[in-house]
Amino acid sequence: QVQLVESGGGLVQAGDSLTLSCAASGRTFRAYTMGWFRQAPGKGREFVAFITWSGGTAYYADSVKGRFTISRDSAKNTVALQMNSLQPDATAVYYCAARRGWGTENPADFGFWGQGTQVTVSS
C-alpha cells in the first residue's frame, strides 16, 4: 500500500512564498511520477506540476510556470512544491499524487493520493 502525506499548507498574504512537502512511503518509488494538483472550492481538481522520480524531469501548468518549482529527494522519498508570488487565485487544497510511469496532467491517471493540505492566500 502507498501512503502520501502532505504538509506545509497555511494562510499567507499575496506575494508571499510557501513550500509544500509530500512524504511517500510503502513502496519503492523509483518508477513513479509524483505530481501536485489543487482543488479550489466549487472547482475540479487542477494539475499543477509533476516530476519523474528517477529522471528529475519536471513539467508545469502554464498558470504556475516560472513561479512554482517542484523538486524531489529520492533518498528521502519526498517531493516538494515551492510556490512564489502567491496570489489569491492560488487558494485551494493541494494534493500530492503518484503514478507509475510517465507524467500526465490528468488527475484520473494518478492512482495514489494524499489527504491534501489547505493553502489560503489573502489579498
Side-chain angles (χ1 to χ4, degrees):
Q1 185 158 355
V2 174
Q3 294 89 35
L4 301 174
V5 179
E6 303 97 334
S7 61
L11 173 63
V12 298
Q13 294 185 335
D16 284 353
S17 298
L18 196 64
T19 299
L20 306 181
S21 183
C22 173
S25 61
R27 288 229 177 165
T28 300
F29 285 89
R30 186 163 298 179
Y32 282 76
T33 291
M34 303 297 295
W36 285 97
F37 294 79
R38 63 188 181 187
Q39 188 164 14
K43 296 187 177 181
R45 199 160 291 191
E46 175 191 25
F47 167 73
V48 176
F50 71 69
I51 187 167
T52 55
W53 196 259
S54 58
T57 300
Y59 184 78
Y60 299 90
D62 287 342
S63 60
V64 306
K65 201 173 296 182
R67 297 186 299 116
F68 289 15
T69 302
I70 188 171
S71 61
R72 88 278 188 263
D73 185 330
S74 299
K76 296 182 179 180
N77 275 355
T78 58
V79 178
L81 183 69
Q82 180 178 350
M83 305 182 292
N84 297 328
S85 301
L86 284 164
Q87 298 302 315
D89 62 0
T91 295
V93 177
Y94 283 71
Y95 295 92
C96 176
R99 77 179 300 267
R100 192 172 180 86
W102 189 246
T104 166
E105 297 184 27
N106 188 351
D109 292 333
F110 284 75
F112 305 102
W113 293 85
Q115 82 289 349
T117 186
Q118 176 70 48
V119 173
T120 303
V121 184
S122 63
S123 57

